[in-house]
Amino acid sequence: MNSTEKSHWKTLDRFVEINSNWVKLIGEHLETTEGQIVEYWRVERADSVVVLTIQADKLLFPPPMYRPGVAAATLDFPGGRLPEDTTPAAAVPAIIKKELGVNESAIARIQPINTTGWAINSSFSNQKLYGFVAELQPTATVNPEFIGAAYPVTPEGIRDLLKKLTCLQCRALLLEWQNQDNFKC
């Protein structure tokens, strides 16, 4: 038996399923490859898109938003859930419009950070994360009311930003982007 076949567990039954517009909670009994019966809980969620938005060599952030999970307002890159039947790249302009008030015509370039969605928590959820960099036209107007923070795209600016970011998804995408060959400081 190869390792792929051995790694599959068998679903015996689904004893609970709770659905909402945001999330589906599922409780199941599974049989492991060793024959052990386990109770397992998982969450199905829509995939997420996070956008590192740059204008004039600065990373732009919307105002901090309250996050019930951490009971605090946090600094996060623009982002959101991926609507059904929408590609991750196609969702970027709508996210920037909603979070920073910027029209699609102000976007000079959109580039993916990761072309394959990253599993956010593969043992508990099916959700994937897609990251993009969106460069705004240098002359595009961004309403100051939509800007919560701006950090320079420099090693020092990134270090300062990492001290403020609590969102692991935002941190991971920022570090991945910084480590790519096309990052210039």
Side-chain angles (χ1 to χ4, degrees):
M1 179 182 303
N2 71 34
S3 63
T4 304
E5 290 174 8
K6 187 175 180 165
S7 67
H8 289 274
W9 290 9
K10 182 179 175 185
T11 302
L12 301 176
D13 69 350
R14 182 174 288 186
F15 58 86
V16 71
E17 182 175 309
I18 301 171
N19 293 297
S20 79
N21 292 338
W22 288 89
V23 68
K24 181 189 290 186
L25 176 64
I26 299 167
E28 297 171 316
H29 289 112
L30 304 173
E31 183 177 353
T32 69
T33 54
E34 293 79 26
Q36 181 182 10
I37 308 299
V38 295
E39 181 178 296
Y40 201 80
W41 292 83
R42 63 186 175 88
V43 173
E44 291 184 357
R45 299 179 70 161
D47 294 338
S48 293
V49 174
V50 173
V51 185
L52 281 64
T53 308
I54 300 173
Q55 185 180 40
D57 293 323
K58 289 188 179 176
L59 289 158
L60 303 181
F61 289 84
M65 178 182 264
Y66 183 78
R67 304 293 181 190
V70 294
T74 63
L75 184 66
D76 300 307
F77 286 110
R81 301 276 180 245
L82 183 61
E84 258 186 73
D85 301 324
T86 303
T87 66
V92 171
I95 288 170
I96 293 173
K97 171 75 173 165
K98 178 183 173 202
E99 301 244 2
L100 295 173
V102 176
N103 292 322
E104 186 171 358
S105 61
I107 302 170
R109 184 170 75 124
I110 297 172
Q111 183 174 347
I113 295 173
N114 58 326
T115 54
T116 303
W118 295 336
I120 292 177
N121 183 345
S122 62
S123 67
F124 183 68
S125 176
N126 68 331
Q127 186 181 21
K128 292 181 184 167
L129 171 66
Y130 295 89
F132 292 87
V133 174
E135 293 180 31
L136 301 182
Q137 302 284 353
T139 57
T141 302
V142 182
N143 184 334
E145 291 180 17
F146 282 89
I147 302 297
Y151 284 82
V153 179
T154 62
E156 298 80 21
I158 302 281
R159 276 194 299 276
D160 289 344
L161 176 54
L162 286 168
K163 293 174 188 173
K164 299 288 184 187
L165 283 178
T166 58
C167 168
L168 186 58
Q169 296 170 15
C170 295
R171 293 175 66 84
L173 287 166
L174 177 63
L175 292 169
E176 179 72 14
W177 172 66
Q178 183 183 24
N179 287 323
Q180 289 178 351
D181 291 339
N182 60 355
F183 179 81
K184 298 176 181 95
C185 278

